[in-house]
Amino acid sequence: MKILQFPLISIFIGFLFGLLLFRTVDLSFVFVFGSLGFGILGLVTTHFFISKNTPFKKLFGCFVLLTSLMIGLSTSLIHKETFHQNHYTHQITNYEKPHQLDVLVNEKLKSTFKNHRFICFVKALDGRTSIGKVILNVSKKDTFTNLKIGSNIKVTGMILKNRKSFNLGLFDYSSYLENQGIYAQVYTKSNQIQIGKYESGLWADFSNFRETIITNLSHSAISKEELYVLNALILGQQQDISSEVLKDYQYAGAVHVLSVSGLHVGFILLFITFLLKPIRNSRKGSLLKLGIIILSLWSFAILAGLSPSIVRSVTMFSFVAIGMHLRRTVNIYHTLLVSMLLILLFKPSFLFDVGFQLSYLALFFILWLQPVLSQLWQPKNKIIRYFWSIITVSFAAQIGAMPLSIYYFHQFPGLFFVTNLLILPLLGVIMAVGVFAILIATFHTVPFWIAKPLEFMIVLLNAIIHWVASFEDFVIRNISFSKEMLWCSYLVIILVIIWIKIPTFKRLVLAFGSIVLLQSCFIFQKKQTLSKSEFIVFNSKKNTILAERIGNSACILSNDSILNNLDNDQTVQSYLVANFCKIRDQKLLSNVMYFKQQKILIIDSSCVYQKNMSPDIILLIQSPKLNLQRVLKTYHPKQIVVDGSNFKSYAKLWEVTCREAKIPFHYTNEKGFYKL
C-alpha cells in the first residue's frame, strides 16, 4: 500500500490544516465544537449508506476532512491556556509594579550572564488562583540556593511580557516562548524567594533523579567540558555546553548529535532487547518484553527532558516494538504518520518547533531517499559498504533538512558528510560506554577505569569536530532565503526524487517546471529588493547603528567599534540577510543626513548641532542633555526618533514633551527599529 493510499493520510491532512488554520483565523469555542459535532454526526449518518449508495462515499470523505479539520482546531483551542479566564495574562493590570506569585519549579534552563533561569507553573498571582507558565530569572548577584525541580516557592518580582524582536531579521524569541505557552518572564532576587514544600510527581522525580546522575558523574574522573558533552549525548541536557563547543558542532554539521533523537533511542532499544534475550518468547514472555521495552523507552524520554526530537523518536520506536511483538511487518511510513498524529494530539505546539520539523523531515528523507542512493553503488567489501551507508544516510537526511535549516539558520555546513564519516563509528562506542556509565551513576560515582576511557573518547570526538569546523570556508553563512523559496525548494527536491525513482518524460517535465518556478521565485525576490530603498534606525543597546539601503546595496553608519566588526554584528547581518542585500559602504555618523528629500538632524551627547536649518526628523542618540521643548519650538520637526543608546529616564521625559507638543515620538527600545 502506498503512503497516499493509507486511510489515515486524509485524516492527518485535515488535522494538520486545522492546526495551521488556528494560527491565522480567530474562531469561537461555539463554532469549532459545533462544527465538530456536525462533522461527527455526518460521519455516523453517511457511514450506514456507503455500501448502499456509491455517491455517499464522496460525502463520507468530505465529512472525514471536516471532522479532522475541526479536531485540529479544537485540539489547539483546548491547549491554548490564554483562553482560560484565570490565566495570569488576564489578571495583571499593571506591569510597572512588583507582583507576588506562587509557582512550581518545573525545569532548569541555561543560565545567562546575569541570571539563573527556570520554567515555572504559576499557581497563584497576588493571592488569586492562576495558571500559566513563566520563566523565572534569579539574579546571580546574591547568594543563590539552587531550586529543586518540584519545589513550590513564593516569589516577589517584576513581571515583563514577551517582547517582539526589535530589529529586522532577528530570531523572534517572543514567538518561540509563546509556542511553548510562556507569555512573560519574572525577574527577582534570591532574598525575595521563599522555598516551600516539595511536590512529588513523575516529572519532578525523574528530573531530580537525572540531577543525581549528573552529580555522581561530576564526582567521577571526567573533566567538566567532556562531562557537559556526555550529558547532552545521553541525557539531552545541553544547558552547560560552552558556546565555543556548540559553535564547532554547528560549523561541522553535527549539532544533531547533541540532541537526543532516533540515533540514541534506536541504540537504547537494541540495548534493552539484548538484555531481555534470556526471557522466553512465549505469549507471556513476549508481552513482558514489550512492557519493559516501552516503559524503558518512555522513562528514558522523561529522563532526557521530553524534547520534540526525543518524543518523536520514542513514540515511533514504541510502535516498532508493538509491531515486533505482534509479529507483523511494520510499514515505517505508517508508523511515522501515526506517531506524528499522536504527538500533535497531545502537544499541537510541537508542529511549530524547529527541532520537531527538522527531525521528521530528516527521518522521512532517510526512509524515502536513502534506498535510492544506496542502489547507485553496492560495494562488496563490508567495511566500504558500512561507510557508504553512512554517506547515503547522511546525504539523504541533509537533503531533507537543508532548505528548512537554511531558512531558519541562514547557513549550511559543507563538510557534514565528512563529519558523519569520522564520528559515527566513534559515537556508537561512546553511546555504549556512556549508557553503561549512566547506569552505574544512578547508584554512585563511575569507576576510574570506565570514566577515563569515556573522557578520552569524548575528547577525541570534540577534537574531530573542532578540526572539521576549523575549515570555515566550507561553512556557507548569511544565506538569504525566503518562505516562498523554501516551499519551491521542497517542491524541486520531491519532484526530482520522484523522477529518479521512475524516470518518465512527464515526471521530467514536472521536475524541470519546479526548477523554473524556484528560479522565478528567486528573480522576483531580487526584483523586489532592487525596487526598494529605506533608511533604518536600529535598536542597539548603548550604540547607534543606522542603515541606508538602495536596492541591494546598503550603507552602514555607526562608530568605529561597530564598523570594524560588522561581520560579527548580528543586528546588521540579520538585516542584510532578510533583505537580500550587501554592504556597499560604511561611514561614521554625522550631524546631518538626507534621505529622499528628507533632512535628518542627529543630536548626540555633545549637543553640538546646526542652528539654521529645518529638519524633518530629529534623531536623539547617546543621551544628550538638552532642553527638548526649546529644540521643538526652534525646529518644528515632523518626527522625533530616540534609539536604544539613550537612558530610559531621558526617553520617558522626551516622550512627555513630544506628547504635549503633539509631535510623533518613536523610541526604538519600546517600538522597535524605525524605518523611513
Side-chain angles (χ1 to χ4, degrees), residues 40-75:
I40 294 170
L41 183 65
L43 273 179
V44 174
T45 305
T46 52
H47 174 72
F48 291 106
F49 293 95
I50 286 177
S51 57
K52 298 178 182 179
N53 199 334
T54 306
F56 276 101
K57 285 187 178 180
K58 291 184 179 179
L59 188 59
F60 180 79
C62 292
F63 276 116
V64 166
L65 283 173
L66 174 65
T67 306
S68 55
L69 173 71
M70 289 304 155
I71 289 172
L73 282 167
S74 59
T75 301

Side-chain angles (χ1 to χ4, degrees), residues 117-131:
R117 301 168 75 234
F118 303 86
I119 292 178
C120 299
F121 289 120
V122 178
K123 289 188 165 186
L125 175 68
D126 296 329
R128 294 171 61 189
T129 302
S130 186
I131 63 167

Side-chain angles (χ1 to χ4, degrees), residues 370 377 379-393 420-429:
Q370 195 272 338
W377 182 41
K380 294 180 180 178
N381 186 285
K382 286 185 178 180
I383 298 173
I384 297 174
R385 196 185 313 139
Y386 171 73
F387 283 103
W388 173 241
S389 67
I390 291 175
I391 292 173
T392 54
V393 167
N420 287 328
L421 269 175
L422 294 173
I423 69 167
L424 283 183
L426 176 62
L427 194 62
V429 181

Side-chain angles (χ1 to χ4, degrees), residues 492-528:
V492 169
I493 291 169
I494 290 167
L495 290 177
V496 167
I497 294 171
I498 288 172
W499 172 72
I500 291 171
K501 279 177 165 283
I502 305 176
T504 63
F505 179 73
K506 185 179 177 181
R507 293 185 175 194
L508 180 63
V509 170
L510 288 172
F512 269 112
S514 65
I515 294 170
V516 171
L517 182 64
L518 177 60
Q519 290 175 326
S520 302
C521 184
F522 180 74
I523 292 167
F524 176 75
Q525 191 73 58
K526 279 284 186 183
K527 191 176 178 181
Q528 267 198 325

Side-chain angles (χ1 to χ4, degrees), residues 27-149:
L27 298 172
S28 67
F29 268 85
V30 176
F31 175 79
V32 172
F33 287 98
S35 300
L36 179 60
F38 174 72
I40 294 170
L41 183 65
L43 273 179
V44 174
T45 305
T46 52
H47 174 72
F48 291 106
F49 293 95
I50 286 177
S51 57
K52 298 178 182 179
N53 199 334
T54 306
F56 276 101
K57 285 187 178 180
K58 291 184 179 179
L59 188 59
F60 180 79
C62 292
F63 276 116
V64 166
L65 283 173
L66 174 65
T67 306
S68 55
L69 173 71
M70 289 304 155
I71 289 172
L73 282 167
S74 59
T75 301
S76 298
L77 272 172
I78 291 166
H79 285 85
K80 187 80 170 176
E81 288 187 336
T82 51
F83 282 106
H84 296 274
Q85 288 301 312
N86 58 344
H87 192 271
Y88 65 83
T89 52
H90 304 306
Q91 298 174 339
I92 302 173
T93 55
N94 186 359
Y95 283 92
E96 299 294 326
K97 68 172 187 177
H99 293 271
Q100 189 178 77
L101 300 98
D102 293 351
V103 299
L104 175 69
V105 181
N106 183 63
E107 185 180 346
K108 184 179 179 181
L109 297 176
K110 188 180 180 73
S111 297
T112 62
F113 179 73
K114 293 182 177 180
N115 299 304
H116 300 285
R117 301 168 75 234
F118 303 86
I119 292 178
C120 299
F121 289 120
V122 178
K123 289 188 165 186
L125 175 68
D126 296 329
R128 294 171 61 189
T129 302
S130 186
I131 63 167
K133 287 199 292 186
V134 294
I135 291 181
L136 175 64
N137 295 269
V138 186
S139 176
K140 286 183 174 179
K141 289 182 180 179
D142 309 308
T143 306
F144 175 71
T145 304
N146 195 28
L147 298 176
K148 194 176 181 182
I149 306 301

Side-chain angles (χ1 to χ4, degrees), residues 281-563:
N281 286 325
S282 61
R283 191 176 220 178
K284 287 184 179 179
S286 183
L287 190 62
L288 178 62
K289 281 184 179 181
L290 177 65
I292 293 172
I293 287 171
I294 292 177
L295 184 64
S296 301
L297 289 179
W298 282 102
S299 298
F300 174 70
I302 298 170
L303 195 65
L306 287 177
S307 66
S309 58
I310 187 73
V311 171
R312 183 264 304 168
S313 304
V314 169
T315 304
M316 199 184 68
F317 277 107
S318 295
F319 279 105
V320 171
I322 292 168
M324 290 164 59
H325 167 71
L326 297 174
R327 291 178 174 83
R328 292 181 181 177
T329 304
V330 180
N331 187 313
I332 198 67
Y333 292 111
H334 300 173
T335 305
L336 197 69
L337 195 64
V338 171
S339 69
M340 192 173 182
L341 183 59
L342 277 176
I343 291 168
L344 294 177
L345 273 169
F346 288 97
K347 195 75 173 176
S349 61
F350 271 5
L351 180 63
F352 306 96
D353 186 276
V354 181
F356 184 84
Q357 295 169 6
L358 287 172
S359 60
Y360 263 104
L361 275 170
L363 185 55
F364 172 75
F365 275 89
I366 288 172
L367 299 172
W368 190 42
L369 181 58
Q370 195 272 338
V372 178
L373 297 175
S374 63
Q375 293 299 315
L376 297 175
W377 182 41
Q378 294 179 313
K380 294 180 180 178
N381 186 285
K382 286 185 178 180
I383 298 173
I384 297 174
R385 196 185 313 139
Y386 171 73
F387 283 103
W388 173 241
S389 67
I390 291 175
I391 292 173
T392 54
V393 167
S394 302
F395 193 75
Q398 206 69 40
I399 287 291
M402 181 176 62
L404 196 66
S405 181
I406 293 172
Y407 174 71
Y408 281 122
F409 308 114
H410 303 290
Q411 68 178 31
F412 179 73
L415 296 177
F416 68 89
F417 57 93
V418 175
T419 305
N420 287 328
L421 269 175
L422 294 173
I423 69 167
L424 283 183
L426 176 62
L427 194 62
V429 181
I430 291 173
M431 285 291 295
V433 180
V435 169
F436 188 54
I438 294 293
L439 289 173
I440 295 172
T442 57
F443 305 104
H444 50 72
T445 57
V446 180
F448 184 87
W449 58 274
I450 296 176
K452 273 301 169 186
L454 184 58
E455 181 192 54
F456 172 76
M457 286 186 287
I458 295 174
V459 168
L460 182 59
L461 176 70
N462 288 345
I464 293 169
I465 294 291
H466 179 72
W467 177 72
V468 177
S470 65
F471 297 96
E472 291 192 22
D473 291 340
F474 289 92
V475 182
I476 307 168
R477 280 172 283 182
N478 299 326
I479 305 170
S480 297
F481 206 68
S482 66
K483 192 175 288 185
E484 293 78 17
M485 292 170 68
L486 170 69
W487 289 109
C488 289
S489 297
Y490 274 114
L491 185 64
V492 169
I493 291 169
I494 290 167
L495 290 177
V496 167
I497 294 171
I498 288 172
W499 172 72
I500 291 171
K501 279 177 165 283
I502 305 176
T504 63
F505 179 73
K506 185 179 177 181
R507 293 185 175 194
L508 180 63
V509 170
L510 288 172
F512 269 112
S514 65
I515 294 170
V516 171
L517 182 64
L518 177 60
Q519 290 175 326
S520 302
C521 184
F522 180 74
I523 292 167
F524 176 75
Q525 191 73 58
K526 279 284 186 183
K527 191 176 178 181
Q528 267 198 325
T529 301
L530 291 170
S531 66
K532 288 183 179 179
S533 58
E534 59 189 16
F535 178 82
I536 302 288
V537 179
F538 293 104
N539 181 62
S540 179
K541 193 176 181 181
K542 297 182 180 179
N543 288 301
T544 297
I545 307 175
L546 312 178
E548 183 183 2
R549 178 171 76 88
I550 300 172
N552 62 352
S553 298
C555 175
I556 307 299
L557 301 100
S558 189
N559 54 43
D560 282 327
S561 61
I562 297 292
L563 295 177

